[in-house]
Amino acid sequence: MTIKEYVKFRKEEIHRYVSTLITKPRLAIIQVNEDAGSNAYVKGKLKDCEELLINASLNNLPLDISEEELLKIIDEYNKDDSIDGFIVQMPLPKHINEETIKLAISPSKDVDGFHPLSQLNPCTPQGIINYLHHENIELCGANALVIGRSNIVGKPMAKLLLKENCNVTVVHSKTKPEDMARYIENADVIVVAIGKQGFLDNRFKYKDSAVIVDVGISRDETGLHGDAIPNLPVKLQTPVPGGVGLLTRLALMENLLKIYEQKHK
Ligand code: GUN
């Protein structure tokens, strides 16, 4: 199944479930940026909620809000029983410490799964694992290569792949080019998340049985591009657009429902 088909199928299941609930789940979004990528994501999340009968609200805060004021609003959201879960869209303005903000969100409402005490996993890595499972990709004992070591994707991705019993390698900007080529040649599953258009191309050799999950998004006048050029000679390659972004959004809805169910048990 393509990602688009898979997401449509899961959304139909979620819609059926939410339509049986008398009190609908509620997601709140706080945004403190004017970032084009964030705007697109937030718009997508609001659209998903509407489709899935989930109540959603967006609080767009001024860019010059102080960290203290933002923390006060987060505290109100933590205490507001009508909000099941909420997210603070990243990135935040430079004068606000993102780690402080992530730690201020109550783990019981942390739909993003960013808090160290959260029982949930971050949405992008979790969404990817769910899709690979659905496609029956063998992860146990597979050589998984994570390219990039960000806090939102690379690091949690490596952790989840390890939990799936993969042999996990993480490479990054300081990896030597000859080593990079060797790791790529040996990989069964490659998750690339560096934001460099066309980084994975025909310079490298791939296993023809390899799976490439492309998390990269770069934008230019011709549109959106991933970290891999299209149509590499592998078994499965996720597209950009219409790929991992949809899985992330789906995982966010699934995380919200998990929180909702925990609360209403
Ligand atoms: N910015 C980019 N991706 C994400 C995400 O998954 N959650 C939040 N809160 N901000 C992001």
Side-chain angles (χ1 to χ4, degrees), residues 60-78:
N60 255 312
L61 296 170
L63 299 183
D64 61 355
I65 189 170
S66 68
E67 186 175 292
E68 198 186 346
E69 283 171 295
L70 179 57
L71 287 169
K72 219 161 103 191
I73 294 171
I74 290 173
D75 188 48
E76 283 164 19
Y77 280 37
N78 282 337

Side-chain angles (χ1 to χ4, degrees), residues 88-90 112 114:
V88 178
Q89 180 68 30
M90 303 292 162
D112 263 324
F114 286 164

Side-chain angles (χ1 to χ4, degrees), residues 48-248:
D48 290 339
C49 287
E50 195 183 333
E51 259 177 58
L52 299 177
L53 315 172
I54 289 166
N55 293 318
S57 57
L58 169 63
N59 190 354
N60 255 312
L61 296 170
L63 299 183
D64 61 355
I65 189 170
S66 68
E67 186 175 292
E68 198 186 346
E69 283 171 295
L70 179 57
L71 287 169
K72 219 161 103 191
I73 294 171
I74 290 173
D75 188 48
E76 283 164 19
Y77 280 37
N78 282 337
K79 290 178 179 147
D80 183 341
D81 214 29
S82 74
I83 298 174
D84 295 294
F86 66 100
I87 67 166
V88 178
Q89 180 68 30
M90 303 292 162
L92 291 170
K94 292 235 166 357
H95 66 275
I96 299 178
N97 185 313
E98 292 190 350
E99 292 311 309
T100 306
I101 297 306
K102 284 182 197 165
L103 291 175
I105 299 170
S106 163
S108 66
K109 293 197 176 188
D110 176 25
V111 207
D112 263 324
F114 286 164
H115 195 288
L117 296 179
S118 174
Q119 325 93 304
L120 302 169
N121 294 316
C123 299
T124 300
Q126 185 64 59
I128 291 169
I129 295 285
N130 292 348
Y131 179 63
L132 295 179
H133 278 317
H134 184 266
E135 291 303 298
N136 293 317
I137 304 298
E138 178 71 36
L139 293 176
C140 185
N143 295 335
L145 179 65
V146 179
I147 307 179
R149 53 177 159 176
S150 69
N151 290 328
I152 287 190
V153 184
K155 284 183 203 142
M157 189 74 242
K159 199 169 137 191
L160 289 195
L161 287 165
L162 195 54
K163 214 159 133 192
E164 295 293 329
N165 300 308
C166 291
N167 316 309
V168 182
T169 306
V170 181
V171 292
H172 44 74
S173 52
K174 299 285 187 278
T175 302
K176 296 184 181 81
E178 65 272 23
D179 289 332
M180 184 72 85
R182 213 160 34 81
Y183 285 123
I184 290 172
E185 261 178 55
N186 264 320
D188 299 304
V189 176
I190 302 175
V191 179
V192 60
I194 52 176
K196 271 195 187 163
Q197 180 180 341
F199 175 77
L200 288 185
D201 62 7
N202 293 315
R203 278 176 302 152
F204 298 111
K205 291 202 186 85
Y206 304 88
K207 286 191 180 183
D208 48 19
S209 57
V211 170
I212 297 179
V213 179
D214 192 345
V215 189
I217 299 188
S218 329
R219 201 179 290 264
D220 67 12
E221 54 292 343
T222 65
L224 288 184
H225 307 277
D227 287 344
I229 63 166
N231 304 315
L232 286 169
V234 294
K235 184 171 82 172
L236 190 159
Q237 177 180 357
T238 67
V240 177
V244 171
L246 299 179
L247 298 178
T248 301

